[in-house]
Amino acid sequence: MSEGTNRRGRCPTVAGSSFCAPRGRRSGETAGRTGVHEHTVGKWRRRFAERRIEGLSDEYRSGRPRNVTDDKVAEVVELTLNTMPKDATHWSVRSMAEKTGVSHTTVHRIWSAFSLKPHRSETFKLSTDPLFVDEVQDIVGLYMAPPDRAVVLCVDETSQIQALDRTQPVLPMAPGVAERRTHDYARHGTTTLFAALDVATGAVIGKCSRRHRATEFLGFLEEVEAAAPEGLDVHLVMDNYATHKTEKVRAWLARRRHWHVHFTPTSASWLNQVERWFAELTRKKLQRGVHLSVAELNADIMSFIDAHNEKPKPYKWVKSADEILASVGRFCLKANKLSVNEEV
Protein backbone atom coordinates (compact mmCIF):
# COMPACT_ATOMS: atom_id res chain seq x y z
CA MET A 1 0.00 0.00 0.00
CA SER A 2 1.42 3.40 -0.99
CA GLU A 3 2.03 6.28 1.40
CA GLY A 4 -0.84 8.36 -0.01
CA THR A 5 -3.65 5.79 0.42
CA ASN A 6 -5.52 4.49 3.45
CA ARG A 7 -6.09 0.87 4.41
CA ARG A 8 -9.09 0.56 2.07
CA GLY A 9 -7.22 2.11 -0.80
CA ARG A 10 -9.22 5.33 -0.67
CA CYS A 11 -7.77 8.81 -0.91
CA PRO A 12 -8.12 11.07 2.20
CA THR A 13 -9.69 14.48 1.50
CA VAL A 14 -8.92 17.51 3.66
CA ALA A 15 -10.61 20.92 3.23
CA GLY A 16 -12.11 19.87 -0.09
CA SER A 17 -8.79 18.83 -1.71
CA SER A 18 -7.41 15.32 -2.19
CA PHE A 19 -3.79 14.91 -1.05
CA CYS A 20 -3.58 11.29 -2.05
CA ALA A 21 -0.94 10.73 -4.74
CA PRO A 22 -0.66 7.66 -6.97
CA ARG A 23 2.49 5.59 -6.64
CA GLY A 24 5.50 7.68 -7.61
CA ARG A 25 3.78 11.14 -7.67
CA ARG A 26 5.76 13.87 -5.94
CA SER A 27 4.32 16.33 -3.39
CA GLY A 28 5.07 19.22 -5.73
CA GLU A 29 2.97 17.69 -8.49
CA THR A 30 0.10 17.02 -6.08
CA ALA A 31 0.32 20.60 -4.81
CA GLY A 32 -0.02 21.94 -8.34
CA ARG A 33 -3.08 19.78 -9.04
CA THR A 34 -4.83 20.67 -5.75
CA GLY A 35 -3.93 24.38 -5.56
CA VAL A 36 -2.16 24.26 -2.17
CA HIS A 37 1.46 24.72 -1.10
CA GLU A 38 3.89 21.82 -1.40
CA HIS A 39 4.70 21.99 2.31
CA THR A 40 0.97 21.57 3.11
CA VAL A 41 0.79 18.42 0.99
CA GLY A 42 3.90 17.04 2.66
CA LYS A 43 2.58 17.78 6.15
CA TRP A 44 -0.73 16.00 5.62
CA ARG A 45 0.87 13.02 3.82
CA ARG A 46 3.33 12.63 6.69
CA ARG A 47 0.58 12.86 9.33
CA PHE A 48 -1.54 10.34 7.44
CA ALA A 49 1.39 7.96 7.08
CA GLU A 50 2.15 8.14 10.81
CA ARG A 51 -1.36 8.05 12.33
CA ARG A 52 -3.66 7.16 9.44
CA ILE A 53 -7.17 8.68 9.69
CA GLU A 54 -6.58 10.05 13.21
CA GLY A 55 -3.75 12.15 11.84
CA LEU A 56 -6.16 14.17 9.69
CA SER A 57 -7.93 15.70 12.71
CA ASP A 58 -7.06 19.20 13.88
CA GLU A 59 -4.59 19.24 16.71
CA TYR A 60 -4.89 21.32 19.85
CA ARG A 61 -4.07 24.95 19.20
CA SER A 62 -2.43 27.09 21.82
CA GLY A 63 -3.98 30.38 22.85
CA ARG A 64 -4.94 32.56 25.74
CA PRO A 65 -6.70 30.51 28.42
CA ARG A 66 -10.30 31.36 29.23
CA ASN A 67 -10.62 33.78 32.15
CA VAL A 68 -14.42 34.16 32.33
CA THR A 69 -15.97 31.29 34.27
CA ASP A 70 -19.41 29.77 33.74
CA ASP A 71 -20.49 31.21 37.07
CA LYS A 72 -19.58 34.70 35.91
CA VAL A 73 -21.53 34.20 32.66
CA ALA A 74 -24.54 33.01 34.66
CA GLU A 75 -24.23 36.05 36.93
CA VAL A 76 -24.31 38.47 33.97
CA VAL A 77 -27.32 36.75 32.45
CA GLU A 78 -29.21 36.59 35.76
CA LEU A 79 -28.60 40.26 36.56
CA THR A 80 -29.61 41.29 33.05
CA LEU A 81 -32.91 39.40 33.21
CA ASN A 82 -33.98 40.02 36.79
CA THR A 83 -32.52 43.33 37.97
CA MET A 84 -32.03 46.92 36.86
CA PRO A 85 -29.44 49.56 37.76
CA LYS A 86 -30.20 52.24 40.35
CA ASP A 87 -30.01 55.10 37.87
CA ALA A 88 -31.66 53.61 34.79
CA THR A 89 -34.49 51.41 33.56
CA HIS A 90 -32.17 48.93 31.83
CA TRP A 91 -28.56 47.84 31.80
CA SER A 92 -25.92 49.05 29.37
CA VAL A 93 -22.78 47.07 28.57
CA ARG A 94 -20.68 49.47 30.62
CA SER A 95 -22.96 49.60 33.65
CA MET A 96 -23.15 45.80 33.65
CA ALA A 97 -19.38 45.57 33.28
CA GLU A 98 -18.91 47.84 36.29
CA LYS A 99 -21.42 45.79 38.29
CA THR A 100 -19.89 42.38 37.52
CA GLY A 101 -16.22 43.28 37.26
CA VAL A 102 -15.67 42.12 33.67
CA SER A 103 -14.90 44.14 30.55
CA HIS A 104 -17.68 45.71 28.51
CA THR A 105 -16.62 43.60 25.50
CA THR A 106 -17.15 40.46 27.58
CA VAL A 107 -20.65 41.66 28.51
CA HIS A 108 -21.37 42.30 24.84
CA ARG A 109 -20.24 38.79 23.87
CA ILE A 110 -22.36 37.21 26.61
CA TRP A 111 -25.44 39.21 25.59
CA SER A 112 -24.89 38.28 21.95
CA ALA A 113 -24.55 34.59 22.83
CA PHE A 114 -27.85 34.63 24.75
CA SER A 115 -29.64 37.08 22.39
CA LEU A 116 -30.14 39.64 25.16
CA LYS A 117 -30.89 43.24 24.09
CA PRO A 118 -31.73 45.34 27.16
CA HIS A 119 -31.71 48.56 25.13
CA ARG A 120 -34.68 47.40 23.05
CA SER A 121 -38.32 47.47 24.09
CA GLU A 122 -41.44 46.51 22.15
CA THR A 123 -45.12 47.20 22.72
CA PHE A 124 -48.05 44.81 22.62
CA LYS A 125 -51.81 44.90 23.00
CA LEU A 126 -53.96 41.85 23.60
CA SER A 127 -57.49 41.95 22.26
CA THR A 128 -60.26 41.50 24.84
CA ASP A 129 -62.91 40.99 22.16
CA PRO A 130 -65.16 38.04 23.18
CA LEU A 131 -65.43 37.08 19.49
CA PHE A 132 -61.68 37.24 18.90
CA VAL A 133 -61.30 33.58 17.89
CA ASP A 134 -64.27 33.58 15.52
CA GLU A 135 -63.27 36.85 13.86
CA VAL A 136 -59.65 35.77 13.39
CA GLN A 137 -60.77 32.54 11.75
CA ASP A 138 -63.23 34.43 9.55
CA ILE A 139 -60.81 37.07 8.27
CA VAL A 140 -57.77 34.82 7.88
CA GLY A 141 -60.00 32.40 5.99
CA LEU A 142 -60.83 35.19 3.55
CA TYR A 143 -57.13 35.88 2.99
CA MET A 144 -55.97 32.28 2.57
CA ALA A 145 -59.04 30.81 0.84
CA PRO A 146 -61.10 33.64 -0.70
CA PRO A 147 -64.59 32.70 -1.91
CA ASP A 148 -65.28 32.15 -5.61
CA ARG A 149 -66.66 35.01 -7.70
CA ALA A 150 -65.90 37.55 -5.00
CA VAL A 151 -63.52 40.42 -4.31
CA VAL A 152 -62.02 40.94 -0.84
CA LEU A 153 -61.28 44.56 0.09
CA CYS A 154 -59.49 45.76 3.24
CA VAL A 155 -60.95 49.17 4.10
CA ASP A 156 -59.81 51.78 6.61
CA GLU A 157 -58.92 55.43 6.96
CA THR A 158 -55.98 57.24 8.43
CA SER A 159 -56.77 60.70 9.73
CA GLN A 160 -54.75 63.72 10.80
CA ILE A 161 -52.15 63.39 8.05
CA GLN A 162 -50.28 66.64 8.41
CA ALA A 163 -49.03 68.86 5.61
CA LEU A 164 -45.63 69.77 7.08
CA ASP A 165 -43.02 72.19 5.89
CA ARG A 166 -39.57 72.63 7.42
CA THR A 167 -38.69 76.02 8.85
CA GLN A 168 -35.49 76.07 6.77
CA PRO A 169 -34.61 74.56 3.38
CA VAL A 170 -33.74 70.87 3.30
CA LEU A 171 -30.06 70.31 2.57
CA PRO A 172 -29.71 67.58 -0.07
CA MET A 173 -27.59 64.47 0.28
CA ALA A 174 -23.94 64.69 -0.76
CA PRO A 175 -21.14 62.11 -0.92
CA GLY A 176 -20.44 61.20 2.70
CA VAL A 177 -23.19 63.48 4.02
CA ALA A 178 -26.79 62.43 4.70
CA GLU A 179 -29.76 64.60 3.80
CA ARG A 180 -30.33 67.17 6.55
CA ARG A 181 -33.46 68.94 7.71
CA THR A 182 -34.47 71.04 10.69
CA HIS A 183 -36.11 69.31 13.63
CA ASP A 184 -38.93 71.88 13.77
CA TYR A 185 -41.66 72.35 11.19
CA ALA A 186 -44.65 74.46 10.21
CA ARG A 187 -48.12 72.91 9.92
CA HIS A 188 -50.35 73.72 6.95
CA GLY A 189 -53.44 71.67 7.82
CA THR A 190 -54.44 68.01 7.84
CA THR A 191 -56.21 65.53 5.60
CA THR A 192 -57.87 62.13 5.94
CA LEU A 193 -57.18 59.26 3.57
CA PHE A 194 -59.77 56.55 2.95
CA ALA A 195 -58.31 53.46 1.28
CA ALA A 196 -59.46 50.04 0.09
CA LEU A 197 -56.85 47.38 -0.68
CA ASP A 198 -57.75 44.56 -3.07
CA VAL A 199 -56.32 41.47 -1.36
CA ALA A 200 -56.03 39.50 -4.61
CA THR A 201 -54.23 42.10 -6.74
CA GLY A 202 -52.75 44.60 -4.29
CA ALA A 203 -54.42 47.53 -6.09
CA VAL A 204 -55.65 50.42 -3.93
CA ILE A 205 -58.68 52.69 -4.20
CA GLY A 206 -58.06 55.94 -2.33
CA LYS A 207 -59.81 59.20 -1.56
CA CYS A 208 -58.65 62.20 0.45
CA SER A 209 -61.15 64.16 2.51
CA ARG A 210 -61.04 67.10 4.90
CA ARG A 211 -63.03 65.21 7.55
CA HIS A 212 -63.72 61.57 8.39
CA ARG A 213 -67.38 61.44 9.36
CA ALA A 214 -69.91 58.82 8.27
CA THR A 215 -70.87 61.10 5.36
CA GLU A 216 -67.34 61.05 3.96
CA PHE A 217 -67.09 57.31 4.55
CA LEU A 218 -70.31 56.70 2.62
CA GLY A 219 -68.97 58.79 -0.24
CA PHE A 220 -65.88 56.62 -0.31
CA LEU A 221 -67.96 53.41 -0.29
CA GLU A 222 -69.82 54.70 -3.33
CA GLU A 223 -66.51 55.15 -5.13
CA VAL A 224 -65.53 51.62 -4.15
CA GLU A 225 -68.84 50.34 -5.50
CA ALA A 226 -68.27 52.12 -8.80
CA ALA A 227 -64.78 50.59 -9.12
CA ALA A 228 -65.75 47.05 -8.02
CA PRO A 229 -66.28 44.47 -10.81
CA GLU A 230 -69.93 43.84 -11.63
CA GLY A 231 -71.51 40.48 -10.80
CA LEU A 232 -69.13 39.70 -7.93
CA ASP A 233 -69.74 39.62 -4.20
CA VAL A 234 -67.82 42.23 -2.22
CA HIS A 235 -66.31 41.31 1.13
CA LEU A 236 -65.19 44.27 3.25
CA VAL A 237 -62.66 43.85 6.06
CA MET A 238 -62.71 46.84 8.41
CA ASP A 239 -62.37 47.73 12.08
CA ASN A 240 -64.97 48.70 14.67
CA TYR A 241 -64.55 52.46 14.32
CA ALA A 242 -67.81 54.28 15.10
CA THR A 243 -67.96 55.83 11.62
CA HIS A 244 -68.24 52.35 10.12
CA LYS A 245 -71.30 51.43 12.19
CA THR A 246 -73.63 54.42 11.96
CA GLU A 247 -77.26 53.96 10.96
CA LYS A 248 -76.64 55.49 7.54
CA VAL A 249 -73.77 53.13 6.82
CA ARG A 250 -75.71 50.09 8.04
CA ALA A 251 -78.70 51.03 5.90
CA TRP A 252 -76.50 51.59 2.85
CA LEU A 253 -74.87 48.17 3.27
CA ALA A 254 -78.21 46.46 3.96
CA ARG A 255 -79.48 47.55 0.54
CA ARG A 256 -76.59 45.72 -1.12
CA ARG A 257 -77.01 42.06 -0.37
CA HIS A 258 -73.91 41.08 -2.33
CA TRP A 259 -71.81 43.15 0.11
CA HIS A 260 -70.55 41.36 3.22
CA VAL A 261 -68.80 43.05 6.16
CA HIS A 262 -66.15 41.35 8.30
CA PHE A 263 -65.12 43.32 11.39
CA THR A 264 -61.66 42.83 12.87
CA PRO A 265 -61.48 42.15 16.62
CA THR A 266 -61.01 45.07 18.98
CA SER A 267 -57.32 46.08 19.28
CA ALA A 268 -56.38 43.83 16.37
CA SER A 269 -55.84 46.24 13.49
CA TRP A 270 -52.87 44.09 12.38
CA LEU A 271 -55.45 41.76 10.82
CA ASN A 272 -56.37 44.45 8.30
CA GLN A 273 -53.91 44.28 5.41
CA VAL A 274 -54.48 47.89 4.39
CA GLU A 275 -52.59 48.91 7.54
CA ARG A 276 -49.49 47.40 5.94
CA TRP A 277 -50.06 49.62 2.91
CA PHE A 278 -50.53 52.69 5.12
CA ALA A 279 -47.11 51.97 6.67
CA GLU A 280 -45.59 51.78 3.19
CA LEU A 281 -47.18 55.12 2.26
CA THR A 282 -45.77 56.74 5.40
CA ARG A 283 -42.28 55.35 4.90
CA LYS A 284 -41.97 56.11 1.21
CA LYS A 285 -43.89 59.37 0.82
CA LEU A 286 -45.03 61.09 4.00
CA GLN A 287 -42.26 60.67 6.56
CA ARG A 288 -39.78 62.89 4.73
CA GLY A 289 -42.21 64.76 2.54
CA VAL A 290 -42.47 68.56 2.48
CA HIS A 291 -45.92 70.04 1.70
CA LEU A 292 -46.90 73.69 1.72
CA SER A 293 -50.65 73.06 1.66
CA VAL A 294 -53.29 70.36 2.11
CA ALA A 295 -53.97 70.42 -1.63
CA GLU A 296 -50.31 69.69 -2.31
CA LEU A 297 -50.39 66.86 0.26
CA ASN A 298 -53.52 65.34 -1.31
CA ALA A 299 -52.00 65.48 -4.77
CA ASP A 300 -48.84 63.78 -3.51
CA ILE A 301 -50.86 60.98 -1.89
CA MET A 302 -52.95 60.39 -5.01
CA SER A 303 -49.83 60.33 -7.20
CA PHE A 304 -48.39 57.68 -4.87
CA ILE A 305 -51.57 55.59 -5.27
CA ASP A 306 -51.42 55.94 -9.07
CA ALA A 307 -47.77 54.85 -9.12
CA HIS A 308 -48.56 51.94 -6.80
CA ASN A 309 -51.42 50.76 -9.03
CA GLU A 310 -49.20 50.70 -12.11
CA LYS A 311 -47.46 47.63 -10.69
CA PRO A 312 -49.57 46.44 -7.75
CA LYS A 313 -48.34 43.52 -5.71
CA PRO A 314 -50.50 41.71 -3.15
CA TYR A 315 -49.26 41.03 0.34
CA LYS A 316 -48.87 37.32 1.01
CA TRP A 317 -50.59 36.14 4.18
CA VAL A 318 -48.64 33.14 5.46
CA LYS A 319 -49.97 32.29 8.93
CA SER A 320 -53.14 30.26 9.35
CA ALA A 321 -55.75 31.11 11.96
CA ASP A 322 -54.68 28.12 14.05
CA GLU A 323 -51.05 29.29 14.06
CA ILE A 324 -52.07 32.82 15.06
CA LEU A 325 -54.31 31.60 17.87
CA ALA A 326 -51.65 29.20 19.11
CA SER A 327 -49.10 32.04 19.17
CA VAL A 328 -51.48 34.31 21.08
CA GLY A 329 -52.19 31.47 23.49
CA ARG A 330 -48.50 30.95 24.22
CA PHE A 331 -48.04 34.67 24.78
CA CYS A 332 -50.99 34.78 27.20
CA LEU A 333 -49.59 31.85 29.19
CA LYS A 334 -46.18 33.52 29.38
CA ALA A 335 -47.69 36.86 30.42
CA ASN A 336 -49.87 35.17 33.04
CA LYS A 337 -46.88 33.28 34.43
CA LEU A 338 -44.85 36.49 34.71
CA SER A 339 -47.68 38.30 36.47
CA VAL A 340 -48.10 35.45 38.97
CA ASN A 341 -44.36 35.48 39.72
CA GLU A 342 -44.45 39.24 40.32
CA GLU A 343 -47.33 38.87 42.76
CA VAL A 344 -45.48 36.14 44.66
Side-chain angles (χ1 to χ4, degrees), residues 206-232:
K207 179 183 180 181
C208 291
S209 177
R210 187 170 62 90
R211 304 177 68 176
H212 57 285
R213 302 171 301 176
T215 302
E216 285 76 22
F217 183 62
L218 275 176
F220 174 66
L221 289 182
E222 290 173 354
E223 291 196 11
V224 172
E225 183 180 33
E230 295 184 2
L232 298 182

mmCIF file of all heavy atoms in Angstrom, residues 206-232:
data_model
loop_
_atom_site.group_PDB
_atom_site.id
_atom_site.type_symbol
_atom_site.label_atom_id
_atom_site.label_comp_id
_atom_site.label_asym_id
_atom_site.label_seq_id
_atom_site.Cartn_x
_atom_site.Cartn_y
_atom_site.Cartn_z
ATOM 1 N N GLY A 206 -58.285 54.950 -3.372
ATOM 2 C CA GLY A 206 -58.064 55.935 -2.328
ATOM 3 C C GLY A 206 -58.825 57.224 -2.573
ATOM 4 O O GLY A 206 -59.138 57.581 -3.708
ATOM 5 N N LYS A 207 -59.118 57.910 -1.477
ATOM 6 C CA LYS A 207 -59.810 59.196 -1.560
ATOM 7 C C LYS A 207 -59.396 60.041 -0.357
ATOM 8 O O LYS A 207 -59.461 59.581 0.782
ATOM 9 C CB LYS A 207 -61.324 59.010 -1.572
ATOM 10 C CG LYS A 207 -62.106 60.318 -1.632
ATOM 11 C CD LYS A 207 -63.601 60.085 -1.581
ATOM 12 C CE LYS A 207 -64.381 61.398 -1.630
ATOM 13 N NZ LYS A 207 -65.850 61.174 -1.545
ATOM 14 N N CYS A 208 -59.005 61.280 -0.620
ATOM 15 C CA CYS A 208 -58.647 62.196 0.448
ATOM 16 C C CYS A 208 -59.840 63.081 0.787
ATOM 17 O O CYS A 208 -60.588 63.512 -0.102
ATOM 18 C CB CYS A 208 -57.461 63.066 0.038
ATOM 19 S SG CYS A 208 -55.907 62.166 -0.122
ATOM 20 N N SER A 209 -60.019 63.355 2.064
ATOM 21 C CA SER A 209 -61.151 64.160 2.509
ATOM 22 C C SER A 209 -60.706 65.046 3.669
ATOM 23 O O SER A 209 -59.789 64.702 4.424
ATOM 24 C CB SER A 209 -62.309 63.264 2.941
ATOM 25 O OG SER A 209 -63.394 64.019 3.429
ATOM 26 N N ARG A 210 -61.385 66.171 3.819
ATOM 27 C CA ARG A 210 -61.043 67.099 4.895
ATOM 28 C C ARG A 210 -61.451 66.542 6.249
ATOM 29 O O ARG A 210 -60.794 66.799 7.254
ATOM 30 C CB ARG A 210 -61.723 68.443 4.647
ATOM 31 C CG ARG A 210 -61.292 69.539 5.615
ATOM 32 C CD ARG A 210 -61.821 70.887 5.158
ATOM 33 N NE ARG A 210 -63.279 70.892 5.153
ATOM 34 C CZ ARG A 210 -64.023 71.255 6.211
ATOM 35 N NH1 ARG A 210 -63.442 71.624 7.347
ATOM 36 N NH2 ARG A 210 -65.333 71.254 6.135
ATOM 37 N N ARG A 211 -62.545 65.779 6.296
ATOM 38 C CA ARG A 211 -63.031 65.210 7.551
ATOM 39 C C ARG A 211 -63.240 63.708 7.368
ATOM 40 O O ARG A 211 -63.160 63.178 6.238
ATOM 41 C CB ARG A 211 -64.344 65.893 7.975
ATOM 42 C CG ARG A 211 -64.204 67.406 8.084
ATOM 43 C CD ARG A 211 -65.508 68.082 8.430
ATOM 44 N NE ARG A 211 -65.942 67.766 9.797
ATOM 45 C CZ ARG A 211 -67.025 68.304 10.362
ATOM 46 N NH1 ARG A 211 -67.787 69.159 9.688
ATOM 47 N NH2 ARG A 211 -67.344 67.985 11.602
ATOM 48 N N HIS A 212 -63.522 63.012 8.487
ATOM 49 C CA HIS A 212 -63.719 61.567 8.393
ATOM 50 C C HIS A 212 -64.988 61.152 9.154
ATOM 51 O O HIS A 212 -64.975 60.263 9.992
ATOM 52 C CB HIS A 212 -62.494 60.806 8.921
ATOM 53 C CG HIS A 212 -62.099 61.120 10.322
ATOM 54 N ND1 HIS A 212 -61.467 62.279 10.675
ATOM 55 C CD2 HIS A 212 -62.242 60.420 11.471
ATOM 56 C CE1 HIS A 212 -61.228 62.284 11.977
ATOM 57 N NE2 HIS A 212 -61.695 61.162 12.491
ATOM 58 N N ARG A 213 -66.079 61.785 8.788
ATOM 59 C CA ARG A 213 -67.381 61.436 9.362
ATOM 60 C C ARG A 213 -68.013 60.305 8.551
ATOM 61 O O ARG A 213 -67.464 59.841 7.545
ATOM 62 C CB ARG A 213 -68.288 62.657 9.350
ATOM 63 C CG ARG A 213 -67.754 63.868 10.113
ATOM 64 C CD ARG A 213 -68.623 65.078 9.841
ATOM 65 N NE ARG A 213 -68.648 65.390 8.409
ATOM 66 C CZ ARG A 213 -69.386 66.359 7.874
ATOM 67 N NH1 ARG A 213 -70.152 67.115 8.654
ATOM 68 N NH2 ARG A 213 -69.351 66.579 6.571
ATOM 69 N N ALA A 214 -69.192 59.870 8.990
ATOM 70 C CA ALA A 214 -69.910 58.825 8.266
ATOM 71 C C ALA A 214 -70.265 59.273 6.862
ATOM 72 O O ALA A 214 -70.291 58.466 5.920
ATOM 73 C CB ALA A 214 -71.166 58.432 9.041
ATOM 74 N N THR A 215 -70.535 60.581 6.692
ATOM 75 C CA THR A 215 -70.872 61.100 5.360
ATOM 76 C C THR A 215 -69.721 60.899 4.392
ATOM 77 O O THR A 215 -69.912 60.438 3.260
ATOM 78 C CB THR A 215 -71.222 62.596 5.460
ATOM 79 O OG1 THR A 215 -72.312 62.762 6.361
ATOM 80 C CG2 THR A 215 -71.581 63.145 4.097
ATOM 81 N N GLU A 216 -68.503 61.234 4.828
ATOM 82 C CA GLU A 216 -67.343 61.046 3.960
ATOM 83 C C GLU A 216 -67.073 59.555 3.723
ATOM 84 O O GLU A 216 -66.674 59.167 2.613
ATOM 85 C CB GLU A 216 -66.109 61.696 4.586
ATOM 86 C CG GLU A 216 -66.080 63.218 4.509
ATOM 87 C CD GLU A 216 -67.014 63.888 5.509
ATOM 88 O OE1 GLU A 216 -67.359 63.220 6.523
ATOM 89 O OE2 GLU A 216 -67.383 65.052 5.292
ATOM 90 N N PHE A 217 -67.309 58.743 4.729
ATOM 91 C CA PHE A 217 -67.086 57.310 4.554
ATOM 92 C C PHE A 217 -68.072 56.729 3.551
ATOM 93 O O PHE A 217 -67.705 55.893 2.715
ATOM 94 C CB PHE A 217 -67.213 56.602 5.907
ATOM 95 C CG PHE A 217 -66.933 55.123 5.843
ATOM 96 C CD1 PHE A 217 -65.692 54.653 5.458
ATOM 97 C CD2 PHE A 217 -67.923 54.204 6.166
ATOM 98 C CE1 PHE A 217 -65.430 53.293 5.395
ATOM 99 C CE2 PHE A 217 -67.667 52.845 6.106
ATOM 100 C CZ PHE A 217 -66.420 52.384 5.725
ATOM 101 N N LEU A 218 -69.319 57.168 3.599
ATOM 102 C CA LEU A 218 -70.308 56.702 2.622
ATOM 103 C C LEU A 218 -69.918 57.125 1.206
ATOM 104 O O LEU A 218 -70.071 56.355 0.248
ATOM 105 C CB LEU A 218 -71.690 57.248 2.972
ATOM 106 C CG LEU A 218 -72.494 56.436 3.985
ATOM 107 C CD1 LEU A 218 -73.812 57.143 4.318
ATOM 108 C CD2 LEU A 218 -72.776 55.036 3.441
ATOM 109 N N GLY A 219 -69.422 58.350 1.075
ATOM 110 C CA GLY A 219 -68.969 58.792 -0.239
ATOM 111 C C GLY A 219 -67.843 57.923 -0.765
ATOM 112 O O GLY A 219 -67.781 57.624 -1.970
ATOM 113 N N PHE A 220 -66.966 57.492 0.121
ATOM 114 C CA PHE A 220 -65.876 56.619 -0.306
ATOM 115 C C PHE A 220 -66.413 55.241 -0.699
ATOM 116 O O PHE A 220 -65.977 54.659 -1.698
ATOM 117 C CB PHE A 220 -64.848 56.484 0.807
ATOM 118 C CG PHE A 220 -63.769 55.488 0.516
ATOM 119 C CD1 PHE A 220 -62.863 55.705 -0.503
ATOM 120 C CD2 PHE A 220 -63.661 54.317 1.255
ATOM 121 C CE1 PHE A 220 -61.861 54.784 -0.798
ATOM 122 C CE2 PHE A 220 -62.668 53.392 0.970
ATOM 123 C CZ PHE A 220 -61.772 53.628 -0.045
ATOM 124 N N LEU A 221 -67.375 54.706 0.059
ATOM 125 C CA LEU A 221 -67.956 53.406 -0.288
ATOM 126 C C LEU A 221 -68.615 53.453 -1.658
ATOM 127 O O LEU A 221 -68.582 52.470 -2.412
ATOM 128 C CB LEU A 221 -68.962 52.976 0.777
ATOM 129 C CG LEU A 221 -68.387 52.554 2.143
ATOM 130 C CD1 LEU A 221 -69.521 52.117 3.075
ATOM 131 C CD2 LEU A 221 -67.369 51.428 1.986
ATOM 132 N N GLU A 222 -69.212 54.580 -2.004
ATOM 133 C CA GLU A 222 -69.820 54.704 -3.330
ATOM 134 C C GLU A 222 -68.761 54.665 -4.428
ATOM 135 O O GLU A 222 -68.987 54.096 -5.497
ATOM 136 C CB GLU A 222 -70.627 56.001 -3.394
ATOM 137 C CG GLU A 222 -71.890 55.959 -2.529
ATOM 138 C CD GLU A 222 -72.597 57.296 -2.465
ATOM 139 O OE1 GLU A 222 -72.033 58.278 -3.005
ATOM 140 O OE2 GLU A 222 -73.694 57.374 -1.879
ATOM 141 N N GLU A 223 -67.592 55.246 -4.158
ATOM 142 C CA GLU A 223 -66.508 55.155 -5.126
ATOM 143 C C GLU A 223 -65.990 53.725 -5.236
ATOM 144 O O GLU A 223 -65.649 53.262 -6.327
ATOM 145 C CB GLU A 223 -65.373 56.104 -4.738
ATOM 146 C CG GLU A 223 -65.710 57.574 -4.872
ATOM 147 C CD GLU A 223 -64.478 58.457 -4.849
ATOM 148 O OE1 GLU A 223 -63.352 57.899 -4.937
ATOM 149 O OE2 GLU A 223 -64.633 59.689 -4.744
ATOM 150 N N VAL A 224 -65.945 53.026 -4.118
ATOM 151 C CA VAL A 224 -65.533 51.620 -4.147
ATOM 152 C C VAL A 224 -66.524 50.800 -4.956
ATOM 153 O O VAL A 224 -66.140 49.941 -5.761
ATOM 154 C CB VAL A 224 -65.400 51.066 -2.718
ATOM 155 C CG1 VAL A 224 -65.161 49.558 -2.741
ATOM 156 C CG2 VAL A 224 -64.268 51.758 -1.970
ATOM 157 N N GLU A 225 -67.812 51.061 -4.754
ATOM 158 C CA GLU A 225 -68.842 50.338 -5.495
ATOM 159 C C GLU A 225 -68.704 50.576 -6.992
ATOM 160 O O GLU A 225 -68.861 49.654 -7.803
ATOM 161 C CB GLU A 225 -70.225 50.763 -5.020
ATOM 162 C CG GLU A 225 -71.366 50.011 -5.698
ATOM 163 C CD GLU A 225 -72.723 50.467 -5.207
ATOM 164 O OE1 GLU A 225 -72.863 51.663 -4.883
ATOM 165 O OE2 GLU A 225 -73.647 49.627 -5.161
ATOM 166 N N ALA A 226 -68.413 51.800 -7.385
ATOM 167 C CA ALA A 226 -68.267 52.116 -8.802
ATOM 168 C C ALA A 226 -67.051 51.419 -9.413
ATOM 169 O O ALA A 226 -67.054 51.061 -10.596
ATOM 170 C CB ALA A 226 -68.152 53.630 -8.985
ATOM 171 N N ALA A 227 -65.998 51.214 -8.607
ATOM 172 C CA ALA A 227 -64.781 50.587 -9.121
ATOM 173 C C ALA A 227 -64.808 49.065 -9.031
ATOM 174 O O ALA A 227 -64.025 48.402 -9.716
ATOM 175 C CB ALA A 227 -63.571 51.116 -8.352
ATOM 176 N N ALA A 228 -65.711 48.502 -8.208
ATOM 177 C CA ALA A 228 -65.753 47.051 -8.020
ATOM 178 C C ALA A 228 -66.302 46.373 -9.275
ATOM 179 O O ALA A 228 -67.203 46.901 -9.933
ATOM 180 C CB ALA A 228 -66.613 46.704 -6.815
ATOM 181 N N PRO A 229 -65.782 45.193 -9.635
ATOM 182 C CA PRO A 229 -66.282 44.473 -10.811
ATOM 183 C C PRO A 229 -67.756 44.093 -10.634
ATOM 184 O O PRO A 229 -68.185 43.732 -9.530
ATOM 185 C CB PRO A 229 -65.397 43.234 -10.875
ATOM 186 C CG PRO A 229 -64.185 43.565 -10.071
ATOM 187 C CD PRO A 229 -64.643 44.505 -9.005
ATOM 188 N N GLU A 230 -68.519 44.184 -11.702
ATOM 189 C CA GLU A 230 -69.935 43.836 -11.634
ATOM 190 C C GLU A 230 -70.113 42.320 -11.574
ATOM 191 O O GLU A 230 -69.335 41.557 -12.141
ATOM 192 C CB GLU A 230 -70.674 44.402 -12.846
ATOM 193 C CG GLU A 230 -70.696 45.914 -12.908
ATOM 194 C CD GLU A 230 -71.525 46.414 -14.072
ATOM 195 O OE1 GLU A 230 -72.104 45.568 -14.787
ATOM 196 O OE2 GLU A 230 -71.571 47.644 -14.288
ATOM 197 N N GLY A 231 -71.177 41.902 -10.880
ATOM 198 C CA GLY A 231 -71.508 40.482 -10.801
ATOM 199 C C GLY A 231 -70.742 39.705 -9.752
ATOM 200 O O GLY A 231 -70.892 38.488 -9.660
ATOM 201 N N LEU A 232 -69.907 40.379 -8.962
ATOM 202 C CA LEU A 232 -69.135 39.699 -7.928
ATOM 203 C C LEU A 232 -69.584 40.158 -6.547
ATOM 204 O O LEU A 232 -69.989 41.303 -6.355
ATOM 205 C CB LEU A 232 -67.637 39.998 -8.083
ATOM 206 C CG LEU A 232 -66.959 39.548 -9.374
ATOM 207 C CD1 LEU A 232 -65.476 39.886 -9.317
ATOM 208 C CD2 LEU A 232 -67.154 38.064 -9.626
#
